[in-house]
């Protein structure tokens, strides 16, 4: 009788295991795909590979980084949105595909608010407001005065219409009450090149590509778009410190999973990622790449994402920003 009971329990355990009821306790029990929705070498890719390598070590499972670029991040994000909600395909997202694109694209392949669960904020980086030496302004208040004295004369670059750099410029125009002409480029490198050449005069640039030119005195940094000074630019004030209005624009990265992913898997992902982002060596590694490691509760990250989406929705509507 006892052997029959034992056999029945063993069979039941196998059935439960096969149906996945106990699978969560062993997560991850196989390789995890980390989708980067941009090309290799960019800010999101750098953060993703640093995180993926450390998760691989922590889990004893391979984290396979896949770059699925295109459509402003939508292609990679769509891969994850349509994946099985089991924690084995996760997304490292940026503001574009989660909080901006749905307000710019007339048709989206997914719904960022319904198809994803925010798990953990991983990194953030400010933009830096830089100008060509032909611009006389030495701070933000002087730049505003210079722009108001000659409406439409100053051109500002972006790495493409609809991205954070473009919308940073549009937000600055609105809050400062100035008129500047937007000149979109296909990436930050050509934008920096034309800024150096004087074809454009103003650029809300990423810190890493701008830093060597700032140090060489080829362009002038007026302000960082963060709420506090960047450790990479400790002598560069924030926009408000430089005489401008309240103005904060972050280029952030965070982990998202498909809606319907079991809560215990989401919780484990959050716990493990937050533990990694709190490590000093991880923070130092990201800082060398121009980003700051960060972390928050799941609830705080969800609230942050919601606030970002509302901000960009209003900004796109008021500015009339359009895609290239």
């Amino acid at each position: 009788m006892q052997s029959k009971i034992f056999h029945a329990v063993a069979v039941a355990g196998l059935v439960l295991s096969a149906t996945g009821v106990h699978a969560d306790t062993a997560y991850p029990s196989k390789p995890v795909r980390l989708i980067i929705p941009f090309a290799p070498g960019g800010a999101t890719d750098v953060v993703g590979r640093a995180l993926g390598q450390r998760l691989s070590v922590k889990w004893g499972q391979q984290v396979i980084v896949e770059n699925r670029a295109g459509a402003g991040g939508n292609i990679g994000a769509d891969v994850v949105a349509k994946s099985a909600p089991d924690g084995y395909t996760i997304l490292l997202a940026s503001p574009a595909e989660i909080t901006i694109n749905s307000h710019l694209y007339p048709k989206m392949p997914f719904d960022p608010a319904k198809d994803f669960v925010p798990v953990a904020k991983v990194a953030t980086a400010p933009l830096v407001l830089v100008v060509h030496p032909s611009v006389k302004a030495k701070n933000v208040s002087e730049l505003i005065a210079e722009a108001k004295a000659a409406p439409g004369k100053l051109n500002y670059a972006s790495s493409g219409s609809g991205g954070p750099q473009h919308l940073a410029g549009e937000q600055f125009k609105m809050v400062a009450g100035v008129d500047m002409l937007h000149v979109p480029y296909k990436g930050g490198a050509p934008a920096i090149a034309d800024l150096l050449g004087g074809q454009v005069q103003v650029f809300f640039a990423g810190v890493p590509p701008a830093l060597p030119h700032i140090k060489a005195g080829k362009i002038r940094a007026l302000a960082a778009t963060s709420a506090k000074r960047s450790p990479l630019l400790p002598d560069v004030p924030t926009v408000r410190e430089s005489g401008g209005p309240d103005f904060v624009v972050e280029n952030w990265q965070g982990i998202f999973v498909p809606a319907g992913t079991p809560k215990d898997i989401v919780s484990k992902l959050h716990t493990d990622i937050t533990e990694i982002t709190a490590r000093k060596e991880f923070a130092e590694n990201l800082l060398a790449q121009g980003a700051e490691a960060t972390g928050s509760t799941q609830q705080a990250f969800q609230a942050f994402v919601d606030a970002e989406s509302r901000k960009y929705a209003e900004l796109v509507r008021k500015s009339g920003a359009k895609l290239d």
Side-chain angles (χ1 to χ4, degrees):
M1 183 68 177
Q2 287 180 334
S3 63
K4 290 183 178 180
I5 293 174
F6 176 81
H7 178 72
V9 170
V11 170
L14 289 172
V15 170
L16 289 172
S17 177
T19 57
V21 173
H22 291 312
D24 295 351
T25 59
Y27 174 84
S29 58
K30 61 182 182 179
V32 174
R33 297 167 69 206
L34 174 57
I35 304 297
I36 307 293
F38 298 99
T44 303
D45 181 67
V46 168
V47 172
R49 291 180 185 278
L51 177 65
Q53 187 271 331
R54 287 160 178 81
L55 284 174
S56 292
V57 173
K58 186 173 184 63
W59 289 339
Q61 291 288 347
Q62 186 179 9
V63 175
I64 303 168
V65 175
E66 290 187 24
N67 295 91
R68 302 293 291 270
N74 283 352
I75 290 176
D78 191 45
V79 169
V80 180
K82 292 178 171 57
S83 296
D86 56 8
Y88 288 97
T89 303
I90 63 179
L91 172 71
L92 183 67
S94 74
E97 59 276 19
I98 297 297
T99 63
I100 296 176
N101 289 354
S102 61
H103 309 301
L104 283 170
Y105 284 79
K107 189 175 182 179
M108 289 281 286
F110 58 88
D111 184 333
K114 295 181 180 179
D115 293 340
F116 291 104
V117 174
V119 176
K121 194 175 181 184
V122 177
T124 186
L127 301 176
V128 56
L129 173 55
V130 290
V131 296
H132 184 264
S134 63
V135 175
K136 297 177 182 179
K138 299 299 189 295
N139 56 51
V140 172
S141 60
E142 290 180 2
L143 177 65
I144 293 172
E146 191 169 339
K148 285 183 175 180
K153 181 180 178 181
L154 293 177
N155 298 329
Y156 81 92
S158 81
S159 58
S161 292
Q165 294 169 329
H166 172 204
L167 296 181
E170 292 300 312
Q171 185 177 355
F172 182 77
K173 284 168 57 179
M174 287 195 301
V175 297
V178 298
D179 179 19
M180 297 189 298
L181 178 65
H182 174 224
V183 181
Y185 291 83
K186 295 189 179 299
I192 284 281
D194 270 12
L195 179 70
L196 292 169
Q199 285 82 6
V200 290
Q201 296 80 43
V202 181
F203 185 28
F204 286 91
V207 174
L211 195 56
H213 304 297
I214 293 170
K215 290 182 176 179
K218 295 179 180 179
I219 54 178
R220 187 162 59 253
L222 299 188
T225 65
S226 46
K228 60 181 181 180
R229 296 192 183 200
S230 168
L232 285 174
L233 296 168
D235 297 327
V236 176
T238 65
V239 172
R240 187 174 185 180
E241 286 177 326
S242 186
D246 285 332
F247 183 87
V248 177
V249 176
E250 288 186 82
N251 190 22
W252 51 266
Q253 288 85 27
I255 291 290
F256 292 75
V257 294
T261 301
K263 290 183 179 180
D264 52 348
I265 290 181
V266 174
S267 179
K268 178 172 175 55
L269 277 167
H270 176 267
T271 298
D272 290 350
I273 291 166
T274 301
E275 187 272 326
I276 289 171
T277 59
R279 294 178 188 171
K280 182 180 179 182
E281 59 86 17
F282 182 75
E284 290 175 345
N285 178 271
L286 288 196
L287 192 59
Q289 307 294 332
E292 294 182 59
T294 186
S296 68
T297 64
Q298 288 176 251
Q299 293 79 8
F301 187 37
Q302 176 71 73
F304 171 78
V305 169
D306 292 344
E308 286 278 282
S309 184
R310 289 193 299 269
K311 177 181 77 175
Y312 285 120
E314 181 181 12
L315 187 54
V316 169
R317 179 180 61 82
K318 286 184 175 180
S319 68
K322 298 184 184 299
L323 298 170
D324 292 333

